[in-house]
């Protein structure tokens, strides 16, 4: 068994697609119209057949309070691995990405947390 798909609820799929591709560097895997929404997934360009991230619409009534509670408590919706958190922090900050947590070393892990502009906090992590 392996993880094939994970999702993050986004307020605006088009805005999310631009952020996750233009800023974070993911590439579009699937973009299928489904009524007013889309089946919209992105993947790492380093692993195009790997785990997909579904940019899922936030339309369900339970999603808004869930996302607001996570953000209010500073809890990331998901985490992405990077080779160098400090370098990625500098690169993304240079592109105008807002961070809620600058790089912090916690034993063998360094993390930072960013705002994805679509209602979520996202953690980037470096192990080792």
């Amino acid at each position: 068994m392996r993880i094939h798909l994970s999702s993050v609820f986004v307020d605006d799929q088009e805005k999310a697609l631009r952020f996750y591709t233009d800023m974070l560097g993911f590439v579009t895997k699937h973009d299928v119209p489904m009524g007013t929404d889309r089946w919209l997934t992105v993947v790492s360009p380093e692993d195009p057949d790997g785990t997909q991230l579904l940019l899922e619409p936030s339309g369900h009534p339970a999603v808004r309070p869930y996302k607001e509670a996570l953000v209010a408590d500073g809890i990331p919706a998901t985490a992405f691995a990077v080779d160098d958190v400090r370098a990625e922090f500098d690169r993304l900050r240079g592109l105008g990405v807002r961070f809620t947590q600058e790089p912090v070393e916690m034993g063998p892990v360094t993390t930072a947390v960013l705002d994805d502009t679509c209602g979520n906090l996202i953690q980037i992590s470096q192990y080792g």
Side-chain angles (χ1 to χ4, degrees), residues 61-94:
V63 172
R64 186 176 184 167
Y66 168 75
K67 284 174 54 173
E68 288 174 353
L70 289 179
V71 171
D73 289 345
I75 300 172
T78 194
F80 303 133
V82 297
D83 292 332
D84 184 334
V85 166
R86 293 186 191 289
E88 197 65 14
F89 171 82
D90 291 339
R91 181 187 79 78
L92 291 171
R93 187 180 242 179

Side-chain angles (χ1 to χ4, degrees), residues 19-34:
F19 183 84
Y20 281 78
T21 57
D22 296 347
M23 300 295 204
L24 298 185
F26 292 107
V27 294
T28 304
K29 177 79 173 190
H30 296 288
D31 189 350
V32 180
M34 298 185 72

Side-chain angles (χ1 to χ4, degrees), residues 66-78 98 100-101 111-114 120-123:
Y66 168 75
K67 284 174 54 173
E68 288 174 353
L70 289 179
V71 171
D73 289 345
I75 300 172
T78 194
R98 186 178 75 82
T100 61
Q101 176 199 303
T111 66
V113 178
L114 60 93
N120 302 291
L121 299 179
I122 304 294
Q123 179 175 284

Side-chain angles (χ1 to χ4, degrees), residues 7-13 36-37 55-68:
S7 64
V8 62
F9 291 108
V10 298
D11 300 338
D12 179 317
Q13 284 186 300
T36 59
D37 297 317
L55 304 177
E56 189 162 355
S58 293
H60 189 282
V63 172
R64 186 176 184 167
Y66 168 75
K67 284 174 54 173
E68 288 174 353

Side-chain angles (χ1 to χ4, degrees), residues 105-128:
E105 291 182 22
M106 296 178 279
V109 179
T110 302
T111 66
V113 178
L114 60 93
D115 179 340
D116 79 349
T117 74
C118 299
N120 302 291
L121 299 179
I122 304 294
Q123 179 175 284
I124 56 174
S125 304
Q126 171 190 344
Y127 299 89

